[in-house]
Amino acid sequence: MSTGSHTVEAAVRAERTRILSELLDDLPHLADIAVATMRAEIPAYDAQGPDFHADVRDQVVRHYRAKLGVLLEDRTVTLDDISFTRRAAMRRARAGVALADYINAFRVGQQVFWEAVVERAGAAFAGREAALTLAGPLMRYCDFASTHAANAYMEFQQYAAAEAVRESRDLLETLLAGSVPTRGRELAAAQAHGLAPDARTPLLVVIAVLAGPPSVTSGPDQGADARHAACAAIARTGGNGTRTLSVVRQSEIVAIPVLGPGADAEELCDRLQSVRDSLAAEGIRLAMGISTVVTGTERIPQAYQEARAVLDFVGEEGGVAALPRITAFQYLALKADDTARHLVDRRITALLAEDRARGGVLTATIRAFAGADLNLRAAAERLQIHPNTAQYRLRRIQERTGRSLRSINDLLELLVAIALHDALPTNAGRERLGTVTNEGRGRADVRSIHEPR
């Protein structure tokens, strides 16, 4: 190698050392520029407070100092050089900074540093060549540091998620046991979900299980994945500003949504129904049972048993059975055994079975007549038929069953028979569930899914 080449290499090395030394001397000012640029380009960083920005500046200084040390010593960066990154990554995750924004901050810091290198290199040949020799090592440092920072961020997020799940599960078991959390993380978790022990807030218990046969093509974890997806969706149904406590508990999902001031239980049931329908569209079919509204966490065990009981009303195809939507009359009919059905006059049973096959017009007439307080004209208006047609149907019902709809005892017997008949499963599996979930409290005994709309 010629003397000229040695001279050029020496000049480039000298320029490289000069550039890095100048950057080291100017490091505080360079860090200020980096933080200002991050705030300008990353809204999530700009929205944070002074303590956060001071922490970011400290990290920039540490990274720039480590970077300059590696470059001045002309060696490869190691984990020891950036050991401070792990705790910083955890702090960013804890502060709610998105991973994309966190990694973007590395890009901004690298950009500011490189622009400073180019500025100090100047226009001379040796300076430009020195800058070029720094490009590769700088890229490797940034890739190495950002990769390990991202890994530390994700590790902390997974740990935090696991801790949150554990706390939620422990809280749920405490509540289901009839106890109340009194201190520590469990109490904090209860308060975060609106379940403070001293609160008299109305709440419900929801139990959901996967419905239908498992997919032939599903993997071994398909059921677990589906339950966790459904659990997360149910957790978002709270309407009182707090996140609903929702936990995967073996094969079931248990949630305790809290009703805020002025909230309506049926509106919550509607939201849960929407969740169920949305999940069904994604191939996740749920059977869901919803308790009555109770007040106070000490009544959660009772509400849990209610939700389990009403879950039995849902067929294999799935659906939502919600106690806030049904009456005590309906509930007794749904819980009735075969003996109760055998007590129904066979003439009534035969009429109801035949009427169901033909569209249910006579059943709808009975319900409409009862709902209109035995007013024939009002019942006809409800059914959107002529009063003479309604009168004709009443005569047919009396002829077939021997019961007069103008007799309270006979009408009650017919309504009980209808409720028992609706509670029977069908081939489509929809009448039973439809009566439970879709008719509305106080109205399902006079209106069925067969009634002409």
Side-chain angles (χ1 to χ4, degrees):
M1 187 174 292
S2 66
T3 303
S5 297
H6 282 294
T7 302
V8 171
E9 287 183 5
V12 170
R13 283 197 301 271
E15 282 296 287
R16 175 174 169 142
T17 301
R18 176 189 64 79
I19 293 170
L20 296 177
S21 298
E22 288 182 4
L23 292 174
L24 187 60
D25 292 339
D26 202 25
L27 196 150
H29 177 63
L30 203 59
D32 290 338
I33 295 174
V35 173
T37 307
M38 289 176 191
R39 294 184 61 180
E41 296 189 13
I42 308 173
Y45 269 52
D46 188 49
Q48 299 288 340
D51 291 343
F52 179 89
H53 298 146
D55 187 24
V56 171
R57 185 184 184 281
D58 176 69
Q59 288 299 300
V60 171
V61 170
R62 286 169 175 256
H63 273 291
Y64 283 0
R65 185 174 288 120
K67 190 180 304 186
L68 288 167
V70 167
L71 293 172
L72 284 167
E73 295 170 17
D74 198 13
R75 60 178 177 81
T76 302
V77 60
T78 67
L79 283 175
D80 287 340
D81 294 318
I82 59 168
S83 59
F84 56 86
T85 303
R86 174 172 294 276
R87 289 191 176 183
M90 293 180 179
R91 293 196 296 274
R92 300 297 175 267
R94 191 181 293 113
V97 174
L99 179 58
D101 289 331
Y102 182 44
I103 299 305
N104 193 17
F106 275 88
R107 179 195 62 79
V108 171
Q110 174 80 339
Q111 173 188 331
V112 170
F113 192 91
W114 174 247
E115 289 175 352
V117 168
V118 173
E119 179 184 351
R120 283 159 178 78
F125 173 80
R128 292 199 305 270
E129 286 297 306
L132 289 176
T133 66
L134 294 171
L138 282 174
M139 291 179 62
R140 287 192 290 272
Y141 179 96
C142 187
D143 288 344
F144 184 84
S146 61
T147 297
H148 284 279
N151 289 338
Y153 179 102
M154 293 301 297
E155 286 174 8
F156 178 80
Q157 273 205 329
Q158 291 168 0
Y159 165 80
E163 282 294 297
V165 169
R166 188 178 300 111
E167 290 171 8
S168 295
R169 187 181 294 116
D170 291 345
L171 172 60
L172 178 67
E173 294 302 330
T174 296
L175 295 172
L176 291 181
S179 303
V180 295
T182 57
R183 60 182 180 178
R185 292 184 176 182
E186 203 171 90
L187 178 59
Q191 292 171 336
H193 291 98
L195 296 167
D198 57 346
R200 307 303 299 171
T201 306
L203 54 88
L204 304 91
V205 171
V206 179
I207 298 178
V209 296
L210 296 181
S215 172
V216 177
T217 59
S218 64
D221 295 329
Q222 191 272 343
D225 290 344
R227 276 188 286 271
H228 283 94
C231 182
I234 293 171
R236 294 191 291 269
T237 58
N240 63 327
T242 61
R243 185 176 178 84
T244 294
L245 177 65
S246 185
V247 176
V248 175
R249 190 173 185 256
Q250 298 178 344
S251 62
E252 66 184 15
I253 301 162
V254 181
I256 308 179
V258 173
L259 297 177
D264 182 79
E266 289 197 37
E267 290 179 2
L268 176 61
C269 292
D270 290 342
R271 290 199 297 273
L272 290 166
Q273 180 77 52
S274 297
V275 168
R276 186 262 170 190
D277 294 343
S278 297
L279 291 171
E282 300 173 17
I284 301 174
R285 289 189 291 171
L286 291 181
M288 192 180 294
I290 305 174
S291 75
T292 60
V293 178
V294 299
T295 303
T297 57
E298 70 276 3
R299 297 186 63 189
I300 287 175
Q302 167 201 329
Y304 175 80
Q305 294 302 326
E306 291 180 355
R308 284 195 63 85
V310 77
L311 187 62
D312 292 339
F313 299 160
V314 184
E316 293 182 359
E317 73 288 345
V320 178
L323 287 176
R325 287 175 167 176
I326 69 175
T327 64
F329 179 82
Q330 287 176 286
Y331 181 80
L332 290 173
L334 289 165
K335 294 291 287 184
D337 56 15
D338 289 339
T339 300
R341 295 183 181 88
H342 292 159
L343 291 172
V344 177
D345 190 312
R346 291 186 178 181
R347 292 176 294 174
I348 298 175
T349 301
L351 173 69
L352 295 179
E354 179 184 321
D355 185 53
R356 172 182 284 182
R358 293 183 175 181
V361 294
L362 297 183
T363 301
T365 302
I366 295 171
R367 282 180 160 139
F369 192 62
D373 296 328
L374 312 190
N375 185 310
L376 181 65
R377 184 171 297 278
E381 290 178 358
R382 175 174 296 199
L383 294 169
Q384 297 182 349
I385 60 176
H386 194 278
N388 291 343
T389 302
Q391 183 65 55
Y392 169 74
R393 292 181 183 179
L394 296 186
R395 284 200 303 270
R396 281 188 59 199
I397 293 167
Q398 184 168 350
E399 291 168 1
R400 292 287 304 276
T401 65
R403 269 69 175 176
S404 170
L405 270 72
R406 296 192 180 278
S407 164
I408 296 298
N409 287 336
D410 287 355
L411 178 58
L412 182 60
E413 185 178 359
L414 287 168
L415 290 173
V416 169
I418 290 171
L420 292 171
H421 196 67
D422 281 340
L424 290 171
T426 63
N427 291 334
R430 301 184 73 86
E431 282 85 350
R432 185 185 191 200
L433 183 62
T435 302
V436 174
T437 62
N438 297 330
E439 299 305 331
R441 186 171 183 84
R443 292 182 288 112
D445 57 335
V446 294
R447 177 180 174 192
S448 75
I449 61 173
H450 302 299
E451 180 182 327
R453 297 295 195 264

